[in-house]
């Protein structure tokens, strides 16, 4: 069966090692949304021997979003109902973003506010510094 | 400021140690939903020194849901936009549950199907065996 996260990176790649990659997908209203995607096709965290190492990358993504966006909250989620290839959403949330306080998968409550511009390069450098 | 997860357990307590507790809240249509809640008031994972230990409990909850429910997918999420007291949702998902393949926070797509009855006690014993 074809899998879109086996076939493509899933966004601008900010960092990568043998286990996983940190990408920044283009998600309307959420420039501070990163995804940490396992390179090989694994479905659940408890199928992944290297889950502690993966979480270190997830927490590095959280650290970097906090440094560069100063969000009101960070949301972490590994769902994979649509694409059952292990990936984490790491999302900088703001009280005035389109869905707050709901998760970003709920219906929008308002128009997205613009956020300070943070380049891929600035994010990539910050991740490298943390990892 | 008052915090509902400082003031109450947040569900039937299945397991507890000094760091955290595993509870089963009553969530319509999702009997296979556990929450792993840090006992003290901490907001983000990167504020928590014991985050590796907390994730071991989260993964134990996933293991136990897989053993007892055989779900089609497990969803893991730490959001905390409404209650900014660190807690994880660990959710057994089924292709015919009320929201699949959407997250459970999206609008429902259909009525919830009944699931096999799994008692709190069976879940508690399974968590103990894993941890």
């Amino acid at each position: 069966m074809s899998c879109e996260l086996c076939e493509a990176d899933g966004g601008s790649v900010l960092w990568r090692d043998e286990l996983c990659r940190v990408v920044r997908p283009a998600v309307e209203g959420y420039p501070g949304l990163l995804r940490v995607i396992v390179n090989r096709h694994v479905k659940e965290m408890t199928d992944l021997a290297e889950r502690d190492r993966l979480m270190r990358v997830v927490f590095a993504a959280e650290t970097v979003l906090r440094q560069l966006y100063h969000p009101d909250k960070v949301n972490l989620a590994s769902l994979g109902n649509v694409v059952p290839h292990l990936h984490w959403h790491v999302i900088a949330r703001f009280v005035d973003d389109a869905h707050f306080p709901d998760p970003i998968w709920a219906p929008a409550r308002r128009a997205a506010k613009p956020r300070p511009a943070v380049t891929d390069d600035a994010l990539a450098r910050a991740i490298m510094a943390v990892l």
Side-chain angles (χ1 to χ4, degrees), chain A residues 101-121:
Chain A
D102 297 324
I104 68 164
W105 304 282
R109 287 172 176 256
R110 63 188 78 82
K113 286 274 174 62
R115 297 288 151 208
V118 175
T119 64
D120 288 359
D121 191 53

Tab-separated table of all heavy atoms in Angstrom, chain A residues 101-121:
chain	number	residue	atom	x	y	z
A	101	PRO	N	-9.541	27.654	22.437
A	101	PRO	CA	-8.720	26.625	23.092
A	101	PRO	C	-8.943	25.209	22.534
A	101	PRO	O	-8.453	24.261	23.128
A	101	PRO	CB	-9.190	26.708	24.551
A	101	PRO	CG	-10.652	27.042	24.430
A	101	PRO	CD	-10.770	27.923	23.213
A	102	ASP	N	-9.671	25.076	21.448
A	102	ASP	CA	-9.860	23.738	20.881
A	102	ASP	C	-8.587	23.257	20.194
A	102	ASP	O	-7.731	24.059	19.801
A	102	ASP	CB	-11.001	23.778	19.845
A	102	ASP	CG	-12.330	24.156	20.473
A	102	ASP	OD1	-12.574	23.735	21.617
A	102	ASP	OD2	-13.101	24.885	19.821
A	103	PRO	N	-8.489	21.947	19.994
A	103	PRO	CA	-7.397	21.424	19.163
A	103	PRO	C	-7.554	21.949	17.734
A	103	PRO	O	-8.660	22.331	17.327
A	103	PRO	CB	-7.621	19.906	19.209
A	103	PRO	CG	-8.472	19.660	20.419
A	103	PRO	CD	-9.340	20.882	20.544
A	104	ILE	N	-6.491	21.948	16.971
A	104	ILE	CA	-6.552	22.517	15.614
A	104	ILE	C	-7.424	21.678	14.684
A	104	ILE	O	-7.702	22.095	13.561
A	104	ILE	CB	-5.148	22.709	14.991
A	104	ILE	CG1	-4.462	21.368	14.697
A	104	ILE	CG2	-4.263	23.566	15.882
A	104	ILE	CD1	-3.275	21.514	13.735
A	105	TRP	N	-7.873	20.495	15.123
A	105	TRP	CA	-8.702	19.630	14.281
A	105	TRP	C	-10.188	19.902	14.488
A	105	TRP	O	-11.027	19.304	13.828
A	105	TRP	CB	-8.365	18.164	14.552
A	105	TRP	CG	-6.916	17.892	14.340
A	105	TRP	CD1	-6.281	17.733	13.127
A	105	TRP	CD2	-5.897	17.799	15.338
A	105	TRP	NE1	-4.938	17.558	13.322
A	105	TRP	CE2	-4.675	17.584	14.670
A	105	TRP	CE3	-5.892	17.887	16.726
A	105	TRP	CZ2	-3.457	17.446	15.353
A	105	TRP	CZ3	-4.686	17.760	17.400
A	105	TRP	CH2	-3.492	17.536	16.724
A	106	ALA	N	-10.520	20.746	15.442
A	106	ALA	CA	-11.920	21.124	15.663
A	106	ALA	C	-12.285	22.215	14.648
A	106	ALA	O	-11.411	22.767	13.977
A	106	ALA	CB	-12.078	21.637	17.100
A	107	PRO	N	-13.558	22.532	14.530
A	107	PRO	CA	-13.943	23.642	13.638
A	107	PRO	C	-13.300	24.957	14.104
A	107	PRO	O	-13.163	25.189	15.299
A	107	PRO	CB	-15.468	23.698	13.777
A	107	PRO	CG	-15.870	22.325	14.266
A	107	PRO	CD	-14.737	21.862	15.133
A	108	ALA	N	-12.916	25.804	13.148
A	108	ALA	CA	-12.286	27.090	13.501
A	108	ALA	C	-13.284	27.969	14.233
A	108	ALA	O	-14.481	27.929	13.975
A	108	ALA	CB	-11.772	27.788	12.246
A	109	ARG	N	-12.763	28.757	15.173
A	109	ARG	CA	-13.604	29.706	15.921
A	109	ARG	C	-13.481	31.118	15.372
A	109	ARG	O	-14.301	31.978	15.665
A	109	ARG	CB	-13.154	29.753	17.391
A	109	ARG	CG	-13.532	28.517	18.199
A	109	ARG	CD	-12.859	28.608	19.572
A	109	ARG	NE	-13.248	27.507	20.433
A	109	ARG	CZ	-14.123	27.603	21.447
A	109	ARG	NH1	-14.683	28.756	21.728
A	109	ARG	NH2	-14.412	26.554	22.177
A	110	ARG	N	-12.393	31.409	14.690
A	110	ARG	CA	-12.116	32.784	14.237
A	110	ARG	C	-11.056	32.735	13.150
A	110	ARG	O	-10.488	31.681	12.908
A	110	ARG	CB	-11.631	33.635	15.430
A	110	ARG	CG	-10.338	33.157	16.033
A	110	ARG	CD	-9.961	33.864	17.323
A	110	ARG	NE	-10.710	33.373	18.479
A	110	ARG	CZ	-10.394	32.262	19.192
A	110	ARG	NH1	-9.300	31.545	18.903
A	110	ARG	NH2	-11.130	31.881	20.211
A	111	ALA	N	-10.804	33.875	12.507
A	111	ALA	CA	-9.743	33.948	11.492
A	111	ALA	C	-8.382	33.872	12.180
A	111	ALA	O	-8.228	34.344	13.309
A	111	ALA	CB	-9.863	35.250	10.704
A	112	ALA	N	-7.407	33.274	11.511
A	112	ALA	CA	-6.053	33.180	12.063
A	112	ALA	C	-5.426	34.568	12.116
A	112	ALA	O	-5.615	35.378	11.206
A	112	ALA	CB	-5.216	32.249	11.199
A	113	LYS	N	-4.707	34.853	13.204
A	113	LYS	CA	-3.933	36.101	13.310
A	113	LYS	C	-2.547	35.891	12.701
A	113	LYS	O	-1.987	34.795	12.827
A	113	LYS	CB	-3.733	36.465	14.791
A	113	LYS	CG	-4.971	36.995	15.480
A	113	LYS	CD	-5.117	38.498	15.270
A	113	LYS	CE	-6.428	39.019	15.838
A	113	LYS	NZ	-6.550	38.837	17.306
A	114	PRO	N	-1.973	36.934	12.099
A	114	PRO	CA	-0.593	36.774	11.616
A	114	PRO	C	0.381	36.598	12.786
A	114	PRO	O	0.150	37.139	13.873
A	114	PRO	CB	-0.304	38.072	10.855
A	114	PRO	CG	-1.403	39.020	11.198
A	114	PRO	CD	-2.525	38.271	11.841
A	115	ARG	N	1.433	35.822	12.562
A	115	ARG	CA	2.455	35.586	13.600
A	115	ARG	C	3.786	36.160	13.122
A	115	ARG	O	3.994	36.311	11.927
A	115	ARG	CB	2.652	34.078	13.832
A	115	ARG	CG	1.441	33.351	14.362
A	115	ARG	CD	1.167	33.697	15.823
A	115	ARG	NE	-0.252	33.573	16.098
A	115	ARG	CZ	-0.920	34.240	17.022
A	115	ARG	NH1	-0.305	35.086	17.812
A	115	ARG	NH2	-2.209	34.073	17.200
A	116	PRO	N	4.709	36.429	14.056
A	116	PRO	CA	6.034	36.908	13.654
A	116	PRO	C	6.648	35.923	12.662
A	116	PRO	O	6.485	34.717	12.803
A	116	PRO	CB	6.848	36.912	14.956
A	116	PRO	CG	5.891	36.662	16.062
A	116	PRO	CD	4.571	36.232	15.492
A	117	ALA	N	7.322	36.438	11.637
A	117	ALA	CA	7.960	35.576	10.638
A	117	ALA	C	9.184	34.896	11.251
A	117	ALA	O	10.052	35.569	11.815
A	117	ALA	CB	8.360	36.405	9.430
A	118	VAL	N	9.220	33.602	11.187
A	118	VAL	CA	10.389	32.832	11.631
A	118	VAL	C	10.768	31.967	10.434
A	118	VAL	O	9.931	31.222	9.920
A	118	VAL	CB	10.053	31.951	12.850
A	118	VAL	CG1	11.242	31.070	13.223
A	118	VAL	CG2	9.626	32.793	14.050
A	119	THR	N	11.993	32.105	9.970
A	119	THR	CA	12.397	31.374	8.756
A	119	THR	C	12.688	29.911	9.059
A	119	THR	O	12.990	29.544	10.203
A	119	THR	CB	13.661	31.998	8.130
A	119	THR	OG1	14.733	31.844	9.081
A	119	THR	CG2	13.462	33.480	7.819
A	120	ASP	N	12.602	29.085	8.014
A	120	ASP	CA	13.004	27.681	8.125
A	120	ASP	C	14.430	27.596	8.653
A	120	ASP	O	14.765	26.744	9.475
A	120	ASP	CB	12.957	26.982	6.759
A	120	ASP	CG	11.535	26.729	6.274
A	120	ASP	OD1	10.580	27.082	6.993
A	120	ASP	OD2	11.390	26.184	5.168
A	121	ASP	N	15.262	28.503	8.159
A	121	ASP	CA	16.669	28.462	8.522
A	121	ASP	C	16.861	28.740	10.018
A	121	ASP	O	17.655	28.068	10.687
A	121	ASP	CB	17.424	29.494	7.669
A	121	ASP	CG	18.926	29.315	7.803
A	121	ASP	OD1	19.408	28.177	7.595
A	121	ASP	OD2	19.602	30.298	8.161
